[in-house]
Structures are given as C-alpha cells and as structure tokens.
Amino acid sequence: MFGWACLRHRRPSYSASLTAWLLRIHPQPTCPYITNIHNMVRKSTSPLTTLGFALAAGVLAMAVGVAAQALPASYSCDPAVCKLPSCRCASAGPPVPAPPQFVMVTYDDAVQANVWPQANALFRNRKNPNGCPAVATWYAQVFYSDPILLTQWYAAGNEIADHSVTHSPPFAGSYAEIEGMRAWATAYAGIPRSKISGIRFPFRNFSADAMAMIQKMGFTYDSSMAAQGNDDLWPYTLDNGAVTDCQGLVSVCGSNFKYPGLWEVPLYGIQGPSGSHLMDPYNDFSITNPVPLDQIQTAYLSTFDRHYNGNRAPFGIYTHPVWLGPAIPPTIPNGAGKLAMLQRVLDNVMARPDTWMITSSQLIEYMKNPVPASQLAAQPYMQCTPNPAPPTNICNGLSIAGADVCNLPNGTISSCYGCPAVYPSLENPAPQRVGSKCPLPDTCDMLWWDPAGCKCLCTAASCARNDTSRAINLDITSLDPKGNHGQHAMHAEHLSLSLTLPLLLLAGP
C-alpha cells in the first residue's frame, strides 16, 4: 500500500517527548512531510528553538500532568439565551437526568489495508442495548488511504470525518486541506458530503482562524480539544468560547474564540497512577519503555467508573490503529498486547447497563435533543435497519463487486466510482475520473446508488435523499465572495513555527 513508510514514522503519542521523536526521524523520499518538519526545526530561528527543546519537553510535561480549570473565569454563557438544538452552554452537568453512558472509539489517519483488521477488531460483534452494532468514527486523511475501505466503513454504519489531505506538520488546517478531503471522499469513496460533518485537525493543531473557517464551511463539530479530568464536560457549542484546552504557551480560550453553532466534542483523557493520558496511551511516555499495559488498563477502567458513576460525560478510546497491529521494525513494535488490552476494556465497559458505543455525529444528534437512557433506543439516529433494505448486488460498500483497481504510479487503490487519472494531491484532491462510472449525486444515498449503471435504486420515500449541504468548492473565495476570507484559510499553513509548535506539543496526531 502506497505511503506505508510515512505511517511508520508517525509521532507515536501526544505525550511522547518531542526531542525523542525528532531524534528518531530518518527522512525518506517517500515521506516528504517528515523531511519538511525535520528541516523546519533544524533551520528555525524562532524563539522556541532558541530556548531549546528542553523547554519544549518541560511544557509538554506540564500539559500532560495538569488538568484545566472546569470553567474559566472568562467564560460566560446564559442558558436562557443559549438554547438547544443550536446552542449549549459548557457544563459538567448531564443534559438530562439518568442519561446514557456513551463510549466513543475513534481512529485517526489513513484508512488502508495494513490497519483495517485491528481497527475492525475492536468493535466487531459488539452490540448496543437496542441490538444494533457498535459503531465508531474514523478521522480520515486522503494520502495513503484506500477509498474502497472508506466506502465499506460508511456502509457498515460508521462515520467518516475530516482529517485533511496531507496531514503535513506542523499545521494541516488550511482550506485546501480540509475542503480537499471532502472533495476526494465524496468523489472516490462515495461518502455523502453532508455526512462529513466533523473534523479533527491533524496533530490536534488548530487556530482561531481555522475554527472560523470550518464554521463557514458548514461543519457541525470539531473534535480537537482535550478534556483531562477536571474539565470532563459534555459536548457544548462555541457560541460563548471554549473551556477546554485553556492552558499552555498558547491558550485558545478567550473572548474572541466564539463560533456560534459549532459544537466541540472533546477528547476525554484518562487518569491513573502513571498520570494523565489521551491518544495512544500505551505509548506513553516512551515507545521503547512505555507505561505497563496493566496500568493503562487500570487508568481506562477507573476513568470510566468516574464517568459512569458521576456526570456520565462520554468516555473515549482514541488511537491510531497502526499501533495495534503487527510489528514493523524498527519503529512500530508488535501491538497485539495493546489491542488485547483495549478489547478487555471494552468488554468491561460495554457490559454495564445503559452503555452505548456510538459515533461522534450520533453524539451531536443526542446533544441537540437529549433524552434519558430509557428513551435512547427509539431515537431515529440510533436505528440500524434500513427499510426497505438496500441492494447488495451493486458496488455500495455492502458489496464491492465491480470495484475498479487503480494502479497508479504512487501505488494501488480501489474504488466503486472509477479511477482517478492521477494520484490525489493537495492541489488536485479529486482528479479527473477515468472510465464510465458515475459519482454519487445529491439525490441518492451511497447505499442505493449504482455507480456502474449511473442510477439510483431507491424507490421509496424512506430511502430518498436530497443533500442541501454546502457544495464542495475548492476555491476559497466561495467562503466569502466579498473577499474577507483572508489569512485564516489560504495561508494558514505558513504560520511561523514559534506560533504553531506550542500547540503541536499539546496535541496528538
């Protein structure tokens, strides 16, 4: 699979030492983004570099070990004005009495054959209380992903969310990165654009301007901020600012960080004897000498107990599935033990009454109209049996019969929707289609669209679809025809290292 060398050199964990990470890097021609950040750090004359990486490591330790204040003094929200479904004040209190306990498993980065087995293993054969399969969210990037796998992921009831085109450090949150992923996923994986409703910025490295941009683009939620213990809040809208990720060299919390209607789904950290952890905690605090797995399992279960017996804020497992699979020497150790540990955690928590494993978008639907656990099974967004049943004799993810195998100079991918003439790039994320297959139209859902026959097989009102979401447009001026789109999107990737690297230090890939 194209690009595997790049996956091998991904930063292992948000809490691993940046110095150690950089020392491990040995750039290869197949991994240009690693080369770029290596050169950037080596050549940088920013204040951060002048201070040295010892300071950076100290900042990182502070970020891991200190939890943010639950509600900063600067935050003010009037619940009489901020009302559902479009606005919710930040609060640790549950939205209704006796709510369900939600579990979210999310994956980041490329969707490819090398990580597919372990990604599916975590929730295969798990059921929610209403009998529907447990589901998960994949924050997918374009580079190194195989579109046929995104098609299958979505067809199984899971969610695909935006994670950029290139995932290039230190910042991959420009308009071209975010809109390019939507264009590619719709064109070659058949994901309806309205269903790509959430985003996680690569490295969890975002800015105020980037948040303003995704709000204009019509995204429903962001999931880039961390909640560590004291700020285990339920999801909230950014109408009145942020209350998570408020510490560090660069704080995003303040009076100007307001984006009405944009939801924040925090990543909920876990706490245990070894400290606080977030993404890929089994890699903390060193790949070569990580915290023992039994301690990480204890941290997961004790944190779940605190949520379950407390405010029932969502509980999360956030991972890059490359770490859960076979060893890839010298960088990736065997992940079988890590996968087994996570399966034990899920076995435990999913056995608790009123516990549901859902996607991030399902969580947002719940937050817009929260109900007690006893009423959740009846909610439309929790159903899993389409009526009538979609066909299984077309290439729609339920079946991949007739999918094209695309042998491109950069590698081989497959798609139900024809082959791109060239491999996608940031400049051309959805290249011209080769062949006679037809892309998904706005008037048909992927499960009912026959790309070979170029027709929609839905004949009932229950499966009808009309996508009225913002059309994909790779021209940034479409966001603001008056020309006020400005610096936040077109040139965001050119922010100086001294501004972006502190955020990267507090982040995960």
Side-chain angles (χ1 to χ4, degrees), residues 2-16:
F2 170 68
W4 179 246
C6 285
L7 277 181
R8 291 177 51 199
H9 298 286
R10 286 291 165 80
R11 182 164 159 244
S13 171
Y14 89 114
S15 55

Side-chain angles (χ1 to χ4, degrees), residues 184-275:
W184 171 84
T186 299
Y188 287 103
I191 312 299
R193 66 170 185 270
S194 61
K195 298 298 184 180
I196 308 174
S197 60
I199 182 173
R200 179 172 292 159
F201 287 97
F203 308 101
R204 295 182 39 250
N205 184 11
F206 55 90
S207 67
D209 286 334
M211 288 292 188
M213 178 187 73
I214 66 171
Q215 179 198 37
K216 286 185 176 183
M217 293 173 73
F219 282 92
T220 302
Y221 73 89
D222 166 72
S223 185
S224 303
M225 301 185 191
Q228 289 281 10
N230 290 347
D231 56 359
D232 282 343
L233 310 174
W234 281 77
Y236 61 98
T237 61
L238 296 173
D239 293 62
N240 297 280
V243 298
T244 40
D245 268 1
C246 293
Q247 290 188 313
L249 290 179
V250 179
S251 173
V252 301
C253 298
S255 58
N256 295 325
F257 198 83
K258 297 180 180 180
Y259 311 102
L262 182 65
W263 287 84
E264 182 59 37
V265 179
L267 288 82
Y268 298 92
I270 59 174
Q271 293 77 40
S274 57

Side-chain angles (χ1 to χ4, degrees), residues 198-494:
I199 182 173
R200 179 172 292 159
F201 287 97
F203 308 101
R204 295 182 39 250
N205 184 11
F206 55 90
S207 67
D209 286 334
M211 288 292 188
M213 178 187 73
I214 66 171
Q215 179 198 37
K216 286 185 176 183
M217 293 173 73
F219 282 92
T220 302
Y221 73 89
D222 166 72
S223 185
S224 303
M225 301 185 191
Q228 289 281 10
N230 290 347
D231 56 359
D232 282 343
L233 310 174
W234 281 77
Y236 61 98
T237 61
L238 296 173
D239 293 62
N240 297 280
V243 298
T244 40
D245 268 1
C246 293
Q247 290 188 313
L249 290 179
V250 179
S251 173
V252 301
C253 298
S255 58
N256 295 325
F257 198 83
K258 297 180 180 180
Y259 311 102
L262 182 65
W263 287 84
E264 182 59 37
V265 179
L267 288 82
Y268 298 92
I270 59 174
Q271 293 77 40
S274 57
S276 295
H277 309 271
L278 195 61
M279 301 187 80
D280 303 313
Y282 34 73
N283 290 339
D284 292 345
F285 297 93
S286 164
I287 288 291
T288 56
N289 187 29
V291 176
L293 288 178
D294 60 341
Q295 293 187 29
I296 296 299
Q297 179 174 323
T298 297
Y300 269 125
L301 294 177
S302 62
T303 299
F304 178 85
D305 286 341
R306 189 184 73 245
H307 286 223
Y308 187 82
N309 298 318
N311 70 346
R312 291 211 169 175
F315 170 81
I317 292 177
Y318 314 105
T319 184
H320 299 76
V322 66
W323 299 107
L324 306 179
I328 307 174
T331 309
I332 307 294
N334 188 295
K338 301 169 185 177
L339 177 62
M341 180 272 294
L342 292 179
Q343 289 174 321
R344 291 192 297 271
V345 170
L346 287 172
D347 288 344
N348 184 302
V349 304
M350 291 302 292
R352 311 287 184 92
D354 299 326
T355 299
W356 300 69
M357 188 169 162
I358 64 170
T359 67
S360 301
S361 59
Q362 284 178 311
L363 178 60
I364 293 300
E365 290 303 308
Y366 175 84
M367 296 305 303
K368 291 178 179 179
N369 181 28
V371 296
S374 60
Q375 300 177 25
L376 183 61
Q379 303 307 306
Y381 53 85
M382 295 304 299
Q383 308 310 306
C384 61
T385 308
N387 185 19
T392 56
N393 60 345
I394 58 175
C395 196
N396 62 355
L398 300 177
S399 167
I400 57 172
D404 290 295
V405 178
C406 313
N407 295 307
L408 302 172
N410 303 75
T412 300
I413 61 174
S414 298
S415 172
C416 290
Y417 303 91
C419 292
V422 296
Y423 196 85
S425 65
L426 184 60
E427 296 74 23
N428 186 17
Q432 182 178 352
R433 194 180 320 275
V434 176
S436 59
K437 300 287 182 67
C438 294
L440 181 76
D442 291 347
T443 54
C444 193
D445 185 76
M446 185 187 81
L447 295 178
W448 296 90
W449 179 246
D450 178 4
C454 299
K455 59 183 178 181
C456 188
L457 303 183
C458 168
T459 58
S462 58
C463 61
R465 170 178 173 265
N466 183 24
D467 195 334
T468 59
S469 63
R470 175 182 172 272
I472 291 170
N473 192 328
L474 297 176
D475 182 359
I476 189 176
T477 62
S478 64
L479 276 187
D480 189 347
K482 296 181 180 180
N484 295 322
H485 50 277
Q487 61 189 9
H488 70 261
M490 183 69 81
H491 301 296
E493 63 267 39
H494 299 303

